[in-house]
């Protein structure tokens, strides 16, 4: 299987607080990997280290055979290969829906306006937001914003999609519409890395589940193993707590 | 108060009042715009994240120190004194004999720039961190994210403060009479030099100042509303025809 991302001995500290400790894992092409774990376990930090929103303290991130933490690597170009979806959506407030999805294509990828708009509309259709192209972000509901944010990331045609708790800031009735879109993307064969608290979703969609605890990967495996037959005591403990809460 | 007298003073001298008012408006408009651009540029530089390489780090620190000195000096001294220092200083030290109008614009611009730099910095700091992150995540560098995402939002947010600066500039151009700029205060002073009707003449001037500042604030308020757009979205009315 072709590896898209290979993370080796990755560590991250904020001051004396070590948030990630010697993380090793990889993402293969076409694979959907879910990262689960309690708050503060380092899931989001790992995702943010992968696209360098946080600079890792040490370790390697291998993409296309190159360690992107080396000096002289164009990190801006690398970031265009990763589509990021944030918990708080972070749509550009000064752009309407269509232009949220085109500004990156035009300014960063240097696509023509026509091509960018065509691509944007294509992906807005995928997320079911093509009727709202002239709307401003403040006119949309949370679920709609998140779907536009997904289309914005897709329009860059990245190699990997990163989702950082995409439904955690949504009202319960909007969680479904966003998860449905992500499921459809998984079926389309996109490579995805999803940090989530939605256990049912992780179970159903993932090819592989990574359980993180206190800055390390405590256990990883196929969903059946992690959810039905976890090896580690702390995985069992976490699942017992979260599933009971639901 | 003798309104008949006020009226006749205005009718006798209206060309001078108008010329003064136009000069005041022209200086204020240009200087506020130039000052805002200075403020935006300084704001962008002052929010550059600390670079990796040492040489760039030192260069950035030097530039930021210069900006800080500029801001402190022009915020911390009266514009009337700055006008004297710059107008006579440039002639004495560098043998540059500035046109009074150019000098006026220069002085008010750099003075406004010092205030605007801080207003812009505040505006940039107040933008949600998520906007920077989303711009970075999509592959934009500092300049691209500033110009495409951050500054348009900053400009909207600092409009009320800029309107304030504008109003202050309209009033404060009156100090430029010390270097002989023929703005409204200067013209009024000339008028009183002939008629000795101080109260009535300055009463007219005060009214013209009020008219200018009031119109400017209303116009900018309308502009703000236009930028904000409607609160709700109407799918049917807004569908793009493809």
């Amino acid at each position: 299987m072709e590896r898209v991302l290979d993370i080796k001995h990755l560590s991250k500290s904020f001051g004396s607080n070590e948030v990630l400790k010697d993380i090793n894992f990889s993402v293969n092409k076409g694979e959907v990997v879910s990262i689960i774990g309690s708050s503060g376990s380092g899931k989001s930090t790992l995702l943010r280290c992968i696209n360098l929103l946080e600079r890792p303290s040490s370790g390697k991130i291998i993409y296309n055979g190159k360690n992107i933490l080396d000096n002289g690597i164009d990190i801006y170009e690398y970031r265009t290969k990763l589509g990021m979806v944030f918990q708080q959506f972070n749509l550009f407030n000064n752009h309407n829906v269509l232009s949220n999805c085109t500004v990156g294509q035009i300014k960063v990828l240097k696509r023509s306006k026509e091509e960018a708009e065509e691509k944007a509309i294509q992906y807005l259709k995928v997320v079911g937001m093509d009727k709202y192209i002239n709307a401003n972000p403040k006119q949309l509901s949370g679920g709609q914003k998140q779907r536009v944010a997904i289309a914005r990331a897709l329009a860059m045609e990245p190699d990997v999609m990163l989702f950082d708790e995409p439904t955690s800031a949504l009202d319960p009735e909007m969680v479904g519409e966003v998860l449905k879109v992500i499921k459809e993307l998984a079926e389309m064969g996109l490579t995805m890395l999803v940090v989530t608290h939605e256990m049912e979703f992780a179970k159903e969609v993932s090819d592989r589940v990574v359980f993180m605890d206190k800055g390390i990967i405590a256990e990883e495996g196929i969903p059946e193993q992690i959810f039905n037959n976890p090896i580690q005591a702390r995985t069992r403990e976490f699942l017992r707590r979260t599933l009971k809460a639901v | 108060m003798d309104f008949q007298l006020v009226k006749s003073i205005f009718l006798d001298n209206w060309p001078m009042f108008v010329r003064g008012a136009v000069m005041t408006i022209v200086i204020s408009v240009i200087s506020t715009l130039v000052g805002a651009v200075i403020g935006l540029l300084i704001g962008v530089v002052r929010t550059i994240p600390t670079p990796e390489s040492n040489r760039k780090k030192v260069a950035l620190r030097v530039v930021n120190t210069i900006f800080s000195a500029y801001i402190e000096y022009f915020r911390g001294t009266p514009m009337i004194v700055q006008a004297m220092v710059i107008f006579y200083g440039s002639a004495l030290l560098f043998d540059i004999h500035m046109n009074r109008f150019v000098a006026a614009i220069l002085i008010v611009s750099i003075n406004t720039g010092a205030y605007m730099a801080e207003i812009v910095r505040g505006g940039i700091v107040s933008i949600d961190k998520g906007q920077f992150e989303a711009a970075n995540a999509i592959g934009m560098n500092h300049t691209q994210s500033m110009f495409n995402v951050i500054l348009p939002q900053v400009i909207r947010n600092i409009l009320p403060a800029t309107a304030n600066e504008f109003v202050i500039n309209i009033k404060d151009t009156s100090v430029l009479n010390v270097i002989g700029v023929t703005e409204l205060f200067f013209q009024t002073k000339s008028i009183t030099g002939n008629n000795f009707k101080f109260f009535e003449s300055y009463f007219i001037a005060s009214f013209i100042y009020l008219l200018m500042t009031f119109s400017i604030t209303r116009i900018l308020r309308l502009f703000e509303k236009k930028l904000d757009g409607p609160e709700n979205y109407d799918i049917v009315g807004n569908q793009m025809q493809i």
Side-chain angles (χ1 to χ4, degrees), chain A residues 48 53 76 79-80 82 84 86 90-95 103 107-108 110 131-135 138-139 152 156, chain B residues 128 130-131 133-141 144 148-149 152-153 228-233 235 238-240:
Chain A
R48 293 165 59 82
L53 285 178
Y76 300 108
R79 280 183 178 144
T80 65
L82 306 175
M84 180 80 171
F86 297 89
N90 297 343
L91 288 184
F92 302 137
N93 293 327
N94 58 319
H95 291 273
V103 64
K107 301 292 173 186
V108 182
K110 310 289 177 204
K131 284 194 173 67
Y132 293 84
I133 43 180
N134 293 321
K138 68 171 182 185
Q139 298 166 326
R152 171 177 70 180
M156 301 292 285
Chain B
D128 178 33
Q131 298 285 310
E133 290 187 346
N136 284 333
I138 218 162
M140 291 185 186
N141 57 32
Q144 285 170 331
N148 295 302
V149 177
Q153 298 182 47
D228 287 346
E231 284 296 322
N232 300 307
Y233 184 66
I235 295 185
N238 274 292
Q239 274 212 46
M240 191 194 248

Side-chain angles (χ1 to χ4, degrees), chain A residues 126 150 154 163 181-190 192:
Chain A
V126 172
I150 293 171
L154 288 173
F163 292 87
V181 166
I182 302 176
K183 251 179 236 174
E184 282 166 13
L185 299 180
E187 280 154 21
M188 286 162 64
L190 255 71
M192 308 203 289

Side-chain angles (χ1 to χ4, degrees), chain B residues 13-48:
Chain B
N13 299 291
W14 70 265
M16 281 181 84
F17 280 120
V18 169
R19 254 181 285 147
V22 168
M23 181 61 102
T24 293
I25 278 286
V26 169
I27 294 174
S28 316
V29 170
I30 298 178
S31 306
T32 308
L33 286 176
V34 175
V37 172
I38 295 175
L40 284 170
L41 291 177
I42 294 182
V44 171
V45 175
R46 296 229 292 179
T47 51
I48 293 176

Side-chain angles (χ1 to χ4, degrees), chain B residues 42-118:
Chain B
I42 294 182
V44 171
V45 175
R46 296 229 292 179
T47 51
I48 293 176
T50 319
E52 298 278 317
S53 95
N54 272 331
R55 197 184 305 165
K56 279 187 193 164
K57 218 179 274 180
V58 172
L60 190 64
R61 196 168 299 163
V62 170
V63 171
N64 280 337
T65 310
I66 294 171
F67 286 157
S68 296
Y70 159 70
I71 292 168
E72 293 303 334
Y73 181 80
F74 283 95
R75 273 202 316 185
T77 56
M79 191 160 78
I80 193 166
V81 177
Q82 294 161 14
M84 294 299 220
V85 170
I86 291 176
F87 187 68
Y88 294 107
S90 61
L92 185 73
L93 299 176
F94 307 107
D95 204 28
I96 303 169
H97 296 272
M98 265 189 278
N99 171 308
R100 287 170 206 278
F101 176 67
V102 175
I105 287 182
L106 180 77
I107 290 156
V108 185
S109 295
I110 52 182
N111 186 282
T112 310
Y115 285 94
M116 289 301 298
E118 284 297 284

Side-chain angles (χ1 to χ4, degrees), chain A:
Chain A
M1 253 195 288
E2 191 189 333
R3 280 193 174 173
V4 183
L5 279 173
D6 210 352
I7 285 124
K8 288 181 176 165
H9 306 294
L10 188 97
S11 298
K12 172 69 187 174
S13 304
F14 293 107
S16 59
N17 183 13
E18 203 175 13
V19 186
L20 295 176
K21 299 164 198 160
D22 195 33
I23 300 282
N24 291 286
F25 93 109
S26 56
V27 183
N28 297 317
K29 198 174 161 65
E31 198 180 27
V32 178
V33 182
S34 292
I35 305 177
I36 59 171
S38 32
S39 301
S41 59
K43 313 180 297 289
S44 289
T45 309
L46 174 58
L47 211 62
R48 293 165 59 82
C49 276
I50 290 175
N51 74 355
L52 305 182
L53 285 178
E54 305 289 352
R55 190 91 196 163
S57 308
S58 64
K60 286 179 181 175
I61 299 173
I62 312 286
Y63 169 78
N64 261 348
K66 274 183 244 156
N67 178 14
I68 51 121
L69 297 178
D70 282 347
N71 287 332
I73 297 280
D74 183 353
I75 64 164
Y76 300 108
E77 206 241 325
Y78 163 72
R79 280 183 178 144
T80 65
K81 307 290 185 192
L82 306 175
M84 180 80 171
V85 175
F86 297 89
Q87 187 179 346
Q88 300 293 344
F89 335 124
N90 297 343
L91 288 184
F92 302 137
N93 293 327
N94 58 319
H95 291 273
N96 68 18
V97 167
L98 183 65
S99 128
N100 256 286
C101 301
T102 57
V103 64
Q105 298 185 65
I106 295 170
K107 301 292 173 186
V108 182
L109 300 180
K110 310 289 177 204
R111 285 181 186 155
S112 72
K113 189 164 179 273
E114 293 71 35
E115 190 193 356
E117 286 186 351
E118 197 179 305
K119 285 238 155 59
I121 289 167
Q122 177 193 333
Y123 288 107
L124 283 166
K125 275 188 182 142
V126 172
V127 301
M129 285 299 291
D130 51 313
K131 284 194 173 67
Y132 293 84
I133 43 180
N134 293 321
N136 289 321
K138 68 171 182 185
Q139 298 166 326
L140 303 176
S141 73
Q144 291 174 326
K145 282 185 200 171
Q146 194 60 300
R147 285 188 282 150
V148 173
I150 293 171
R152 171 177 70 180
L154 288 173
M156 301 292 285
E157 303 189 311
D159 288 345
V160 188
M161 286 287 287
L162 309 176
F163 292 87
D164 186 9
E165 301 190 23
T167 59
S168 296
L170 294 175
D171 291 340
E173 68 261 41
M174 290 169 185
V175 171
E177 65 180 69
V178 171
L179 291 184
K180 188 168 147 269
V181 166
I182 302 176
K183 251 179 236 174
E184 282 166 13
L185 299 180
E187 280 154 21
M188 286 162 64
L190 255 71
T191 312
M192 308 203 289
L193 196 51
V194 189
V195 170
T196 185
H197 287 293
E198 300 285 336
M199 293 305 146
E200 279 304 314
F201 169 79
K203 202 171 179 175
E204 196 180 328
V205 173
S206 325
D207 297 307
R208 196 148 49 92
V209 177
V210 172
F211 170 66
M212 287 187 67
D213 186 46
K214 300 193 180 94
I216 62 163
I217 292 182
E219 187 166 355
E220 86 176 273
I222 55 169
E224 289 75 21
Q225 180 212 319
I226 299 285
F227 287 105
N228 303 335
N229 213 353
I231 300 165
Q232 301 278 344
R234 46 186 166 176
T235 317
R236 277 199 294 275
E237 173 61 17
F238 169 75
L239 289 171
R240 195 179 58 75
R241 263 184 293 128
T242 24
L243 296 178
K244 196 169 70 182
V246 175

